[in-house]
Amino acid sequence: MAAELTAHQLIATHRPTLDQALETIRTRAYWSPHPEHPKAYGENGSLSLPEGKAAFDALLGSRFDLDQPGTDDWTGAEVSPYGPELGITYPHPDIDTLLPAMRAGMRAWRDAGAEVRAMVCLEILSRISARTHEMAHAVMHTSGQAFMMAFQAGGPHAQDRGLEAVAYAYVEQSRTPDAADWSKPQGKRDPLGLNKRFTPVARGIALLIGCNTFPTWNGYPGLFASLATGNPVLVKPHPRAVLPLALTVRVAREALSDAGFDPNLVCLAAERPDEGIAKTLAVRPEIKIIDYTGSTAFGDWLEANARQAQVYTEKAGVNTVVVDSTDNYKGMLANLAFSLSLYSGQMCTTPQNLLIPRDGITTDAGAKSYDDVVSDLAASVNGLLGDDARANGILGALVNPDVKARLEAASGLGEVALPSREISNPEFPGAVVRTPVIVKLDGAKPDAEAVYLNECFGPVSFAVAVDSSADAVELLRRTVRDKGAMTVGAYTTSDEVSGAVEETCLEECAQLSLNLTGGVYVNQTAAFSDFHGSGGNPAANAALCDGAFVANRFRVVEVRRDA
Amino acid sequence: MAAELTAHQLIATHRPTLDQALETIRTRAYWSPHPEHPKAYGENGSLSLPEGKAAFDALLGSRFDLDQPGTDDWTGAEVSPYGPELGITYPHPDIDTLLPAMRAGMRAWRDAGAEVRAMVCLEILSRISARTHEMAHAVMHTSGQAFMMAFQAGGPHAQDRGLEAVAYAYVEQSRTPDAADWSKPQGKRDPLGLNKRFTPVARGIALLIGCNTFPTWNGYPGLFASLATGNPVLVKPHPRAVLPLALTVRVAREALSDAGFDPNLVCLAAERPDEGIAKTLAVRPEIKIIDYTGSTAFGDWLEANARQAQVYTEKAGVNTVVVDSTDNYKGMLANLAFSLSLYSGQMCTTPQNLLIPRDGITTDAGAKSYDDVVSDLAASVNGLLGDDARANGILGALVNPDVKARLEAASGLGEVALPSREISNPEFPGAVVRTPVIVKLDGAKPDAEAVYLNECFGPVSFAVAVDSSADAVELLRRTVRDKGAMTVGAYTTSDEVSGAVEETCLEECAQLSLNLTGGVYVNQTAAFSDFHGSGGNPAANAALCDGAFVANRFRVVEVRRDA
């Protein structure tokens, strides 16, 4: 087909953005090409807030056609955590037809080279960015995130992570030149000479297994890392969060096609209820790369069984905050309160265990007992969420009944320092909105340990009384080593304690946020600057995004001949 | 301890070499800091040929003490493929003592940073280089390589591959800065600010499982990649080829110690006869990285069972040369004859299957039938190896009785086009020296396929008659896909055939040498320029050396705090 977008046009449009991304992953300074403010959209072809809402509404109750080969059925049963059924059906694949069709475009995609692949990926991201307002609604009504978070995390922040992956993929592929002349001196004889050509080649079809809570943010790094390195990508969304990735696939297919490539390089595989299609796909010989975010059980299964593929997993962890001392007690409480409340604690980065010495801590507001700290934190959460409109904007809705069940069971696990409260959502009466619960536990008691050393995903935190800060550091070490952690936080004014926490995080390989008291929270990471996960503890075998995340998604083939 | 070598001294000495290596892995031009000629040694502290021989002789019949903790016994039963018993015993480890001792120096090694680690690695390589003549004898009398090859491949070429790995490791670790200031604008409010520090951290102890044929060449990439990224390295040599790696470990320990680091960052684990210590070590929780060269069976076992570790394997493959046509018939024959003969075909890169159309090929010397090509190649091998002294210098000795048995069985596999011949070695009467055998097989016959589609490691090649060059390309594809290949060669003057071979190698991920008729051979690769293996077919899951080979040997831990 005649490409509507030439390589020249794509490079003229997107190369400056790639260059800035390449620069920023080296400096780790702040940068993003994707605006965070809803009002920044609506011009230059991007959808405004009402246009995005209208586009989303138009999808409801319809068949989401992608014109994919091998569609044998239509499936979909998404229900918004805010109540409404989405009523959208998606193509269900006949795998034996779809997978070969996905391979057909690989050669042209390979021959395009790393730069053009990056440019097409940026074109996809730029088209997704233009539809951020539509995506915000799609993410909100599948993940249960509040609108503003769905807009930012599901839109610009996810796009940033995708762009970051493209940048890493481009760097990695361009480390080796396309060609080289090699001439080896042989003393008085003629030198030995070879002409060499080097070509990055794909591994095969990549499978992206999406998650319920952050379908785009957690999905884009793997999707774009694989695509930019030449691999077709089959997107298998979580059955409760299909729409955001279906929209993504549609945009990707259109952009690929407009740039003259086979749209089947990106396909969707929606599954029937309880079909478990991921398990079938994961062990297909055509699947050479898998990106997965979800439960430890299935992540472990993938690592053990999908042996024909490179497997990148983000699984469960137990995130800890060590509370030793602070020179900004109010700031610490406010920061922690927000971290526990944001999206009802349904982030893989939300702190779960707050380790507080049973003899209390020193602060700029005087000595505070363990009970003081816990009750002051509870009061801070209550203050933050006292207004229902504000609470709805921070908490969003519980993503599924499992989270609700865990929350309800939490009050039986120990003394409740902060009970969970129901919040009504006037706009969406069907939304299940709850404030977080904080449960007191004695860190020294084995039955308590059995509770706090397991991930309790959702708005549940444990205020764990420990013997000392040294004890807290040891418990931190054990938690990271045995259970994994996406994040670690610590509050301390002591160089000794901060040194011990840092050393523990370096040795056990966990990302540490120290003394955050302002507007940055332990659960948030910024693309181009912060690593999400470390890839070195049981919570995740990869970090977003580093060289290791991209380097093994392709191989380099050398063809050499006598000069 | 007071370091005899300061970081400043190390940087002054070795940084220019590292910089040149960094430059060369980008240009892929020819370069090496390690001289290939035996006469280049003997000054500036390096051992001359007689000094190297004397140093080797002094080791024979002695205990090779390394002053390692947890040595519970002494073991060793190396017999030179040239006849003599070496009579050297090495420390056998009490693993429960040795492994914790190896971890003790990790923190200081981490805190030294990527540059100083690289400098210490280069100091080790430079001390090994100075002892190249001693190493040449050690490699010769464990691998059976002829002296000149043991000198070059076991010395400078191995050191080049080690340096290459250090360069890749340094690049990878220095992609992220040590620190960054991050400032995010907040409209009219103050920007959000964070100070971030980034530290590359080791994964844990790395295990190097050495091979019999190329103990240093195949061992150094993993050893130096792991050490340069902060990991202690436990070296488990092949029981028939301990000495080259024991010498390496001794030099590494001395250099580490002189630079003020714990020598136990590099240790040796020699094993008792039939102990199978690699299997025990490979699944220890302290072992986080494994590098392995050897049989497919054990490589597959490692990949399946050492799940706590990153596993890098080079296993068996079936190397193919497609013979379609040539404009330099004599050059092709001479080049192939040398490739088949070098080190008695005991290279993982030696061609095994020569695919030749049964209707013959076109050449600058006229049309040649299948029989012509095979008999001319046989004559070329006979010419190359006609002189016994020269034959000994090319062939070396058979490395072990298994190779000899396979060679002897080969004559029963088909029509023998070139019988193997015994060569006597006047200097070492005990050496088993044999010229290669070439066996004719009909590619279309299933019983022949069962023969040529399995690796027959040693001086055995199959002249496989195929229906056409297109048939050859399809067989090449199937061979690489199903059996793996370290190398592919092709001779053709046809753009169509070269295009088909290239496309097959790109799709099946194999390294291709086209129309080599001069002094470069398909079985040889040069560090800094050629990739050894592709990591994308069943012969090996990693390539020497690329970003993927180093990127996952360490992780980056970020510590951030409010600015």
Side-chain angles (χ1 to χ4, degrees):
Chain A
M1 80 193 75
E4 291 181 22
L5 284 168
T6 66
H8 182 78
Q9 287 169 317
L10 287 166
I11 290 170
T13 308
H14 298 300
R15 181 78 213 198
T17 309
L18 178 64
D19 286 337
Q20 187 65 52
L22 294 171
E23 164 76 9
T24 312
I25 60 176
R26 289 203 67 88
T27 64
R28 319 297 294 180
Y30 171 77
W31 174 70
S32 168
H34 303 117
E36 262 184 338
H37 200 291
K39 290 187 182 160
Y41 297 81
E43 291 182 1
N44 302 320
S46 70
L47 301 182
S48 66
L49 195 150
E51 287 167 343
K53 177 70 165 61
F56 169 75
D57 287 342
L59 296 167
L60 301 175
S62 74
R63 176 177 279 193
F64 197 101
D65 199 353
L66 285 164
D67 197 22
Q68 287 182 182
T71 296
D72 63 8
D73 198 1
W74 297 84
T75 183
E78 291 160 294
V79 180
S80 168
Y82 289 94
E85 291 185 10
L86 301 197
I88 310 175
T89 58
Y90 306 91
H92 180 274
D94 165 22
I95 296 172
D96 292 321
T97 305
L98 185 60
L99 293 181
M102 291 185 70
R103 293 186 55 89
M106 284 181 72
R107 181 171 176 176
W109 189 233
R110 178 196 76 207
D111 290 343
E115 186 182 29
V116 168
R117 282 195 296 273
M119 295 300 102
V120 175
C121 287
L122 265 60
E123 175 67 21
I124 297 169
L125 283 165
S126 129
R127 293 182 186 200
I128 291 172
S129 172
R131 296 170 76 159
T132 295
H133 269 297
E134 180 185 18
M135 188 65 82
H137 287 280
V139 171
M140 176 180 173
H141 286 290
T142 50
S143 70
Q145 292 175 26
F147 175 78
M148 194 60 182
M149 182 172 181
F151 178 88
Q152 292 189 337
H157 298 173
Q159 295 150 22
D160 284 349
R161 282 283 176 206
L163 173 55
E164 179 187 59
V166 175
Y168 269 96
Y170 177 77
V171 170
E172 204 64 33
Q173 293 173 91
S174 51
R175 287 171 82 151
T176 304
D178 294 339
D181 288 324
W182 180 89
S183 177
K184 179 175 178 177
Q186 298 291 297
K188 290 172 186 169
R189 285 174 294 152
D190 286 343
L192 295 174
L194 290 174
N195 298 138
K196 306 182 179 187
R197 283 194 303 107
F198 302 95
T199 306
V201 300
R203 282 202 169 267
I205 301 176
L207 175 66
L208 169 65
I209 304 176
C211 70
N212 198 173
T213 48
F214 289 90
T216 56
W217 198 98
N218 276 89
Y220 285 1
L223 192 168
F224 284 99
S226 289
L227 190 61
T229 50
N231 306 279
V233 182
L234 181 57
V235 176
K236 204 299 288 177
H238 192 284
R240 292 175 178 274
V242 182
L243 184 58
L245 290 176
L247 284 169
T248 302
V249 168
R250 175 178 280 172
V251 170
R253 293 172 62 82
E254 289 167 357
L256 281 162
S257 188
D258 288 349
F261 296 98
D262 189 335
N264 295 327
L265 289 166
V266 178
C267 288
L268 187 77
E271 65 191 316
R272 302 195 185 98
D274 303 317
E275 182 183 5
I277 200 177
K279 220 161 178 163
T280 308
L281 288 169
V283 295
R284 288 282 299 215
E286 300 93 333
I287 301 293
K288 298 295 190 189
I289 299 170
I290 299 175
D291 286 273
Y292 167 77
T293 309
S295 73
T296 295
F298 192 54
D300 288 347
W301 184 90
L302 286 171
E303 292 173 18
N305 292 281
R307 303 290 310 290
Q308 85 292 351
Q310 308 285 321
V311 179
Y312 304 89
T313 58
E314 183 184 320
K315 303 175 285 190
V318 174
N319 301 320
T320 297
V321 177
V322 173
V323 181
D324 166 78
S325 52
T326 179
D327 57 11
N328 183 353
Y329 189 54
K330 276 184 78 170
M332 176 184 90
L333 295 173
N335 190 282
L336 280 176
F338 190 84
S339 283
L340 301 184
S341 302
L342 184 63
Y343 186 30
S344 311
Q346 298 170 122
M347 301 174 74
C348 57
T349 50
T350 304
Q352 173 176 306
N353 295 342
L354 313 173
L355 311 189
I356 307 164
R358 62 180 86 250
D359 294 338
I361 67 171
T362 58
T363 80
D364 58 316
K368 300 290 176 183
S369 69
Y370 165 83
D371 284 337
D372 289 341
V373 174
V374 179
S375 61
D376 289 346
L377 178 59
S380 192
V381 173
N382 275 332
L384 177 70
L385 305 176
D387 172 71
D388 275 9
R390 176 166 168 162
N392 274 301
I394 294 171
L395 294 168
L398 298 192
V399 65
N400 64 44
D402 292 347
V403 174
K404 180 160 174 266
R406 266 195 300 273
L407 170 65
E408 286 165 353
S411 55
L413 299 172
E415 182 190 339
V416 174
L418 172 68
S420 177
R421 191 162 67 80
E422 248 186 272
I423 305 264
S424 68
N425 184 319
E427 193 184 353
F428 295 104
V432 180
V433 187
R434 297 289 186 278
T435 66
V437 64
I438 301 178
V439 176
K440 289 183 175 180
L441 293 173
D442 185 335
K445 296 210 171 141
D447 57 336
E449 181 173 312
V451 172
Y452 66 74
L453 275 189
N454 282 299
E455 188 192 47
C456 186
F457 185 80
V460 179
S461 291
F462 301 115
V464 181
V466 293
D467 290 342
S468 63
S469 291
D471 187 30
V473 172
E474 260 322 291
L475 179 51
L476 167 65
R477 179 187 298 279
R478 202 147 50 86
T479 304
V480 176
R481 183 179 291 178
D482 297 344
K483 300 297 171 177
M486 295 302 292
T487 58
V488 174
Y491 291 91
T492 179
T493 57
S494 151
D495 288 346
E496 190 188 333
V497 173
S498 69
V501 172
E502 281 191 60
E503 182 60 25
T504 301
C505 287
L506 289 169
E507 290 179 2
E508 302 304 329
C509 210
Q511 309 298 9
L512 172 63
S513 295
L514 260 178
N515 295 323
L516 297 186
T517 57
V520 178
Y521 304 94
V522 66
N523 15 0
Q524 297 174 325
T525 62
F528 313 112
S529 184
D530 295 317
F531 293 106
H532 175 72
S534 75
N537 71 55
N541 77 1
L544 304 178
C545 185
D546 62 10
F549 188 69
V550 300
N552 226 344
R553 292 175 193 257
F554 69 100
R555 305 279 70 220
V556 175
V557 171
E558 174 183 352
V559 179
R560 58 182 192 172
R561 60 192 93 205
D562 284 335
Chain B
M1 82 193 73
E4 289 180 24
L5 284 168
T6 65
H8 182 76
Q9 287 169 318
L10 287 165
I11 290 169
T13 308
H14 298 299
R15 181 76 214 198
T17 309
L18 178 64
D19 286 338
Q20 188 64 53
L22 294 172
E23 165 76 8
T24 312
I25 59 176
R26 290 202 66 89
T27 65
R28 318 299 292 183
Y30 172 77
W31 174 70
S32 169
H34 303 118
E36 261 184 338
H37 200 292
K39 290 189 180 158
Y41 297 80
E43 290 182 1
N44 301 320
S46 70
L47 300 182
S48 67
L49 194 151
E51 288 167 341
K53 177 70 165 62
F56 170 74
D57 287 343
L59 295 168
L60 300 175
S62 74
R63 176 176 281 191
F64 197 101
D65 199 353
L66 285 165
D67 196 23
Q68 286 183 184
T71 297
D72 63 8
D73 199 0
W74 297 86
T75 184
E78 289 160 294
V79 179
S80 170
Y82 289 92
E85 292 184 11
L86 303 197
I88 310 175
T89 58
Y90 304 90
H92 180 274
D94 167 20
I95 297 171
D96 291 321
T97 305
L98 185 60
L99 292 181
M102 292 185 69
R103 292 185 55 88
M106 284 180 73
R107 182 172 174 174
W109 190 234
R110 178 196 76 208
D111 289 345
E115 186 183 29
V116 168
R117 282 195 297 273
M119 295 299 103
V120 175
C121 287
L122 265 61
E123 175 68 21
I124 296 170
L125 283 165
S126 132
R127 294 183 185 199
I128 291 171
S129 172
R131 296 171 76 159
T132 294
H133 268 297
E134 180 185 17
M135 188 65 81
H137 289 279
V139 169
M140 176 180 173
H141 287 289
T142 50
S143 70
Q145 291 174 26
F147 176 78
M148 196 59 182
M149 181 170 182
F151 179 88
Q152 292 188 338
H157 297 173
Q159 295 150 23
D160 284 349
R161 281 282 177 207
L163 174 55
E164 179 187 60
V166 175
Y168 269 96
Y170 178 76
V171 170
E172 203 64 33
Q173 293 173 91
S174 51
R175 288 170 81 149
T176 304
D178 294 340
D181 288 323
W182 181 87
S183 178
K184 180 175 178 178
Q186 297 293 295
K188 290 173 184 166
R189 286 173 292 151
D190 286 344
L192 294 174
L194 290 174
N195 298 138
K196 305 181 180 188
R197 283 193 303 108
F198 301 94
T199 306
V201 299
R203 281 203 170 266
I205 299 176
L207 175 66
L208 169 66
I209 304 175
C211 70
N212 195 172
T213 47
F214 289 91
T216 56
W217 198 97
N218 276 88
Y220 285 1
L223 193 168
F224 284 99
S226 289
L227 190 61
T229 49
N231 306 279
V233 182
L234 181 57
V235 177
K236 204 298 288 176
H238 192 283
R240 292 176 179 274
V242 183
L243 185 58
L245 290 176
L247 283 169
T248 302
V249 168
R250 176 179 278 171
V251 171
R253 293 172 62 82
E254 288 167 357
L256 281 162
S257 188
D258 288 348
F261 296 100
D262 190 336
N264 295 326
L265 288 167
V266 178
C267 288
L268 187 78
E271 63 190 317
R272 303 196 186 98
D274 303 317
E275 182 183 6
I277 199 176
K279 220 161 179 163
T280 308
L281 288 169
V283 295
R284 287 282 299 213
E286 301 93 334
I287 301 294
K288 297 295 190 188
I289 299 170
I290 298 175
D291 286 274
Y292 167 78
T293 309
S295 73
T296 297
F298 192 55
D300 287 348
W301 185 91
L302 286 170
E303 292 173 18
N305 290 281
R307 303 289 311 288
Q308 86 292 351
Q310 308 284 322
V311 179
Y312 304 89
T313 57
E314 183 183 320
K315 302 175 285 190
V318 174
N319 301 321
T320 298
V321 176
V322 173
V323 182
D324 166 76
S325 52
T326 179
D327 57 11
N328 183 353
Y329 188 55
K330 277 184 77 168
M332 176 184 89
L333 295 173
N335 191 282
L336 280 176
F338 190 84
S339 283
L340 300 184
S341 303
L342 183 63
Y343 186 29
S344 311
Q346 298 170 122
M347 301 175 74
C348 57
T349 51
T350 304
Q352 173 177 308
N353 295 342
L354 313 173
L355 310 189
I356 306 164
R358 62 180 85 249
D359 293 338
I361 68 171
T362 59
T363 81
D364 57 319
K368 300 289 174 184
S369 70
Y370 166 83
D371 285 336
D372 290 339
V373 175
V374 178
S375 62
D376 290 344
L377 178 60
S380 193
V381 173
N382 276 333
L384 177 70
L385 304 176
D387 172 72
D388 275 8
R390 180 169 165 159
N392 274 303
I394 293 171
L395 294 167
L398 298 192
V399 64
N400 63 45
D402 292 347
V403 174
K404 179 160 174 269
R406 265 195 301 272
L407 170 64
E408 286 164 354
S411 54
L413 298 172
E415 182 191 338
V416 174
L418 172 68
S420 177
R421 189 163 69 81
E422 249 187 271
I423 306 264
S424 68
N425 185 317
E427 192 184 355
F428 296 104
V432 180
V433 186
R434 297 287 187 280
T435 66
V437 64
I438 300 178
V439 176
K440 289 182 176 181
L441 293 173
D442 185 335
K445 296 212 173 140
D447 56 337
E449 179 173 314
V451 171
Y452 65 74
L453 277 188
N454 282 301
E455 189 192 46
C456 187
F457 186 79
V460 180
S461 291
F462 302 114
V464 181
V466 293
D467 291 341
S468 63
S469 292
D471 188 29
V473 172
E474 259 323 291
L475 179 51
L476 167 66
R477 181 189 297 280
R478 203 148 49 85
T479 305
V480 177
R481 184 180 290 177
D482 296 344
K483 301 297 171 177
M486 294 302 292
T487 59
V488 174
Y491 291 91
T492 180
T493 57
S494 150
D495 288 346
E496 189 187 336
V497 174
S498 69
V501 172
E502 282 191 57
E503 183 60 25
T504 301
C505 288
L506 290 169
E507 290 180 1
E508 302 305 330
C509 211
Q511 309 297 10
L512 171 63
S513 295
L514 258 178
N515 295 323
L516 297 186
T517 57
V520 178
Y521 304 94
V522 64
N523 15 359
Q524 296 174 325
T525 63
F528 312 114
S529 185
D530 295 317
F531 293 105
H532 175 73
S534 76
N537 69 56
N541 77 359
L544 303 179
C545 185
D546 63 8
F549 188 68
V550 299
N552 226 344
R553 292 177 193 257
F554 70 100
R555 304 279 70 221
V556 175
V557 171
E558 174 183 353
V559 180
R560 59 182 191 170
R561 59 191 93 206
D562 284 334

